[in-house]
Amino acid sequence: MSLVRVKSFLGMVGTTPKAEVAAINLRREELSQYPDEQLRSAALSVRDRPEVIEVFALTAAIAERVLGLRMFDVQLLGALALQRGEIAEMQTGEGKTLAAVPAVVSYALQGRGVHVLTANDYLAQRDAGWMRDVYSWFGLSTACLSQSMSPEARRSAYNCHVTYGTANEVGFDYLRDGLARSTEELVQRPFAFAVIDEVDSILIDEARIPLVIAGGVRQDPALAEQVDEVVAQLRSPFDYVIEEYRRNVRLTDLGASRVEHELRCENLYEPEHLPVLTAVQDALHAHALLKLNVDYVIKDGAVELVDEWKGRIAQNRRWPVGLHAAIEAKEHVHPKDQGRILGSITVQNLVGLYQRICGMTGTASTQAREFWEIYELPVTVIPTHRPVIREDLPDAVFATRRDRDRAVVEQIRKLHEAGRPVLVGTASVEDSERLSLQLQVMGVPHSVLNARHDAREAEIIAAAGALGAVTISTNMAGRGTDIVLGGVEEKERERVAELGGLYVIGTSRHEARRIDYQLRGRAGRQGDPGTSRYFLSLQDDLLVRFGIAENSDIDSVQRTAESQNLEIRQTLWKYESVGEH
């Protein structure tokens, strides 16, 4: 098999998938003439002979009847890719949620249950409620997992034909079942099929982060607080050295001597002092490598991690015990109980429990090598329903962050005065709030969407495409959001389109190109006009780490970073495979 499995249906009129779509459409037209009872009877009878063309045609006809949505050919192509156990790359606004339904029905009719794994609880609840009536015409039951469910409700949800939920919820239920004392306490049945939405986020970004169940003894925070007072006084590069790419930090001989003196420890590296050395290293990591309002925020008196890929608070996620305690000591917040690890599993190993997985996302082809090598999942690129007319402008590169920010604010001001909606993507909470302050000074009204304001997400996104709207956001608005031109005012859509549509501004490049593509993809949905442009600074972390001083090198920098991250994930995968087996 080739190193990278990527296929495209664009222009391949004579291929089998195109012929299948033609057959589905032909049968759909016949079914669309059936009255409700006859169509429902046909759907129930297909359970005895779940042939793909018939199932897909029925699903498309029922979706149009129940939801008022006619499936495009490209959605059917995406559904066929899922049914074959592949990853369908479908662009923003192409209707991935509906495209998944024929494949879900096909899997569910086999009677062993299918899990539809989504990026967050909100999407799981929305999609389950939205598609429930379609499934019911086939006699298929639907449920959605949530954190507040009782064990009985969870057991009932897993026994449904179609179960929506996040990978985290499924994973924690799996771990809890592993701690069950009798079969009566189990909530899950054997895994069969999984359809994964935002598959690159779940199988790559979150795959190496372990899901952990902890309990038992309480950790004493005294050591972390004592060590923090000492480490806070250390200075780079005299007392410690940050290694290349900022992945590690270590004490120098001078730094070790200072720590030993302050802690009255004769030799920090003696075996009996291992707990102290570990606490010192955790504190050093907390001070030198992790930054407030970038890697984490303080919310309701607690340290909350920020997901670097999504810009959201990572719910129920913590660093390893000692490191999290070090952050709490650094920020002088009350420590939380952590306890002893009772069970853990990574998402990568969790999905290996399914007989078959498939997925969809707007950005998969850049990671096709990894999807194939780790999961044996080929990537199929699905064409758009309408041509993409978004204008992707060349990067604007500035010497300093200050120059870059000044140019960004001026561009926002001009666009706002012209009435054009603007979405500005920032790398962190800190960056979004700094830019917001500058816009306040300029008198430009705007909304801010970051980990501090996640409760207003739906409201902010609903208005982001309105006439003259300015939205400053972390990666929260870079995935899974559908920004409609004109916002909630449908009558303004044409006016916004005439002005050029949504203008997306990126203020830094991410290590992974697909995260940048996700942000660009907020504009130009379903053939809408739009523009995207990145404003960069040679002081940006990504460029500083790789010593790049020319715009033409930025893409190669990202490819290098992606290769390094792939190597790290592959190494972890090897270790985890040994541990899991």
Side-chain angles (χ1 to χ4, degrees), residues 14 145 221 225 292 371 447 501 504 551:
L145 300 171
E225 293 169 358
L292 177 65
F371 281 126
S447 297
V504 171
N551 183 27

Side-chain angles (χ1 to χ4, degrees), residues 143-156:
C144 177
L145 300 171
S146 67
Q147 293 186 19
S148 60
M149 295 176 77
S150 66
E152 292 75 18
R154 289 180 182 275
R155 189 177 301 110
S156 175

Side-chain angles (χ1 to χ4, degrees), residues 75-249:
Q75 289 175 301
L76 293 173
L77 284 173
L80 287 168
L82 296 177
Q83 198 274 334
R84 292 193 301 271
E86 300 174 355
I87 292 174
E89 181 179 274
M90 299 179 67
Q91 298 303 308
T92 303
E94 292 296 305
K96 289 190 287 291
T97 302
L98 180 58
V101 175
V104 172
V105 171
S106 179
Y107 287 131
L109 288 175
Q110 298 184 41
R112 289 182 291 153
V114 55
H115 296 169
V116 183
L117 303 182
T118 62
N120 54 58
D121 291 334
Y122 164 74
L123 290 177
Q125 293 171 6
R126 184 201 70 179
D127 295 351
W130 190 13
M131 300 301 164
R132 178 175 280 108
D133 287 346
V134 176
Y135 298 130
S136 69
W137 280 53
F138 291 91
L140 300 173
S141 54
T142 310
C144 177
L145 300 171
S146 67
Q147 293 186 19
S148 60
M149 295 176 77
S150 66
E152 292 75 18
R154 289 180 182 275
R155 189 177 301 110
S156 175
Y158 282 113
N159 281 328
C160 285
H161 297 97
V162 182
T163 306
Y164 282 78
T166 64
N168 283 3
E169 282 298 315
V170 174
F172 281 123
D173 283 334
Y174 174 79
L175 292 174
R176 280 188 284 264
D177 275 2
L179 299 174
R181 291 165 294 184
S182 67
T183 55
E184 287 74 22
E185 294 181 3
L186 301 177
V187 299
Q188 292 179 335
R189 54 176 167 167
F191 291 180
F193 308 107
V195 177
I196 306 173
D197 191 14
E198 302 295 355
V199 66
D200 57 327
S201 175
I202 293 175
L203 294 191
I204 293 179
D205 301 339
E206 298 182 14
R208 60 190 176 94
I209 300 171
L211 306 176
V212 176
I213 283 187
V217 298
R218 179 177 179 176
Q219 301 292 322
D220 183 2
L223 178 59
E225 293 169 358
Q226 179 187 7
V227 167
D228 181 77
E229 294 180 7
V230 176
V231 171
Q233 306 304 316
L234 301 182
R235 294 294 177 262
S236 173
F238 310 105
D239 301 313
Y240 61 87
V241 175
I242 299 174
E243 297 182 355
E244 191 177 18
Y245 307 128
R246 296 184 62 85
R247 298 196 194 278
N248 196 20
V249 59

Side-chain angles (χ1 to χ4, degrees), residues 69 166 210 306 320 330 506:
L69 299 174
T166 64
V306 175
K330 170 189 172 184

Side-chain angles (χ1 to χ4, degrees), residues 258-270:
R258 287 192 61 181
V259 170
E260 288 168 349
H261 174 74
E262 294 294 332
L263 295 179
R264 298 178 183 179
C265 172
E266 186 174 340
N267 187 342
L268 188 61
Y269 299 97
E270 288 291 333

Side-chain angles (χ1 to χ4, degrees), residues 15-32:
T15 61
T16 300
K18 286 288 189 181
E20 287 182 299
V21 168
I24 291 168
N25 282 330
L26 187 64
R27 178 58 175 154
R28 169 168 56 175
E29 294 309 313
E30 295 175 354
L31 293 168
S32 66

